Amino acid sequence: MKPYLTGLLLSLAAITVHAAEPLTVCMSEENAPLSYRTKSQVAGFDVLLARAIASELGRDLRVVPFESEVEKETMLTHEVNALLSAGICDLVSGFPLLASDLGAPTRERFKTPDYPGAKRQRDRPFVPLGTLVASRPYQGTALSIALRSGQPPVRTLADLRGRKVGAVAGTLEGTLISMYRGGYLHTSMVSMGQREDAWGALDTGRVDAMLMTSTAVDARRLLHPTSPVQLADFQRSLGINLGFVALQGQTTLLDATNRVIARSQTSGEMQRWAAEAGLRWLPPSQPDVTSTLSLPALMAD
C-alpha cells in the first residue's frame, strides 16, 4: 500500500476512535435532585441534560460521581478545576456561576476530590490547574421556607414571627433570619449547628419553619416522599445560576452545551426533565454570571 494511503487510513481510524469516545461529565453524588448516587449509578436532572448534550455531539455519556471532602466552597472550585485539568472529565455540572470562581485559578495546583478509581487522598498528586469557562446557565436558585406539618401559611419572612424558626449558624439562611429587620425574628429564632438534622427538627417540632434552598426542599421530597414537611408560599431568588464548566479552549464542547440548553428551554424539554427528576425548574436570572450576593435584596419584603 502506498504511504499516503496508509497515512489517510490511519487518520480516518483516529477520527473514528475519537468520535466514539464518550462524553465524560463529573457530577456531585450528593446534590439531589440535580445529581445523586442511587445504587450503582448517578441519577437526577443533570444526567438527563448531559445525555442530551452527548447526543448533540454524537457521543455516549459517561458520568463520573465525585464527593468533596473540603468544607469551604472556595476549595470546591479548585477541586472541580482539578477534575477537569487532570482529564477525569470533559464537563462538570451543577456549578454555581459566580465570577470569582471562573477564569484563571487563584492556586497553581490542587488535588482532585474523591471519585471512582481515585487514589487515597494522601497519594493523589497535585494537579496543575487551568482556566474555567462556563456554559450558559440552565437553572436558577432560590430560597424557600419549609414548614412543619399543620403550620399556617407563610408568604413573607415577617410571617415567621412568633414561630420557632431554625437558624443554622454560619450559613446564608441563618444569617438572613438573624439579620432580618434588624433582629425582628430574634425572639422566635432557634440556633442550630451545621451538623444538626434540620429535617428531624421540623419532623419532631423542635422548630416550626426553616429557610432553605429550593433544591434542598426538592431533595427532601424526592428522597423522603412520606415526609410531612410542607412548602410555604414563599420564594426568593438568590440571583445565582447553575451551569456546566469546562477548561478554556473547549469551544466545540461548550457551543454544543449552549445549543442544547437554549433549545431545551424553548421547546419545554428542560421543564419536562425537571418534572421527571423531581426538580422545580427555576428560570436562570440575569446576569448569567453574578459577582456578589445582595443581602438587602434577599431580606426585602
Side-chain angles (χ1 to χ4, degrees), residues 97 134-139 242-244 254 257-263 265 284 288:
L97 301 186
S135 71
R136 63 184 298 163
Y138 62 81
Q139 170 78 3
L242 302 180
F244 291 89
L254 287 171
T257 300
N258 290 335
R259 285 196 304 272
V260 170
I261 293 173
R263 186 172 64 237
Q265 288 183 10
D288 287 353

Side-chain angles (χ1 to χ4, degrees), residues 213-235:
T213 62
S214 58
T215 51
V217 177
D218 291 343
R220 179 66 176 182
R221 287 175 159 179
L222 176 68
L223 302 176
H224 301 275
T226 61
S227 173
V229 173
Q230 301 172 342
L231 184 64
D233 186 19
F234 171 92
Q235 186 168 282

Side-chain angles (χ1 to χ4, degrees), residues 145 151-163 165 180-181 184-185 233 301:
I145 294 176
Q151 285 289 301
V154 172
R155 294 181 176 84
T156 70
L157 290 176
D159 293 338
L160 294 174
R161 190 168 187 176
R163 310 190 202 190
V165 184
Y180 178 67
R181 289 189 182 179
Y184 183 79
L185 299 175
D233 186 19
D301 291 324

Side-chain angles (χ1 to χ4, degrees), residues 33-201:
L34 294 166
S35 59
Y36 59 100
R37 187 190 285 271
T38 171
K39 296 181 180 179
S40 60
Q41 60 183 4
V42 178
F45 175 76
D46 286 1
V47 176
L48 301 176
L49 180 53
R51 190 172 293 144
I53 297 170
S55 178
E56 178 81 5
L57 292 164
R59 298 162 69 176
D60 293 330
L61 173 67
R62 184 167 71 90
V63 174
V64 178
F66 70 91
E67 178 184 7
S68 175
E69 294 184 352
V70 179
E71 294 181 357
K72 295 183 179 179
E73 292 183 3
T74 53
M75 297 298 101
L76 178 61
T77 299
H78 298 316
E79 289 186 321
V80 165
N81 194 320
L83 286 168
L84 292 166
S85 297
I88 306 302
C89 46
D90 306 305
L91 288 170
V92 178
S93 72
F95 194 86
L97 301 186
L98 290 165
S100 59
D101 293 336
L102 297 170
T106 56
R107 291 193 177 190
E108 291 185 2
R109 299 170 181 268
F110 210 77
K111 291 186 177 183
T112 64
D114 288 337
Y115 66 90
K119 295 180 179 179
R120 293 180 299 177
Q121 178 69 20
R122 66 184 183 185
D123 296 330
R124 287 176 213 166
F126 281 90
V127 179
L129 301 182
T131 298
L132 289 182
V133 180
S135 71
R136 63 184 298 163
Y138 62 81
Q139 170 78 3
T141 58
L143 291 175
S144 299
I145 294 176
L147 295 173
R148 182 169 60 86
S149 179
Q151 285 289 301
V154 172
R155 294 181 176 84
T156 70
L157 290 176
D159 293 338
L160 294 174
R161 190 168 187 176
R163 310 190 202 190
K164 295 176 290 184
V165 184
V168 179
T171 66
L172 172 64
E173 298 89 334
T175 300
L176 291 177
I177 292 297
S178 65
M179 292 179 60
Y180 178 67
R181 289 189 182 179
Y184 183 79
L185 299 175
H186 271 187
T187 57
S188 307
M189 194 171 71
V190 178
S191 297
M192 301 175 63
Q194 294 189 21
R195 295 185 180 276
E196 291 189 61
D197 180 6
W199 296 109

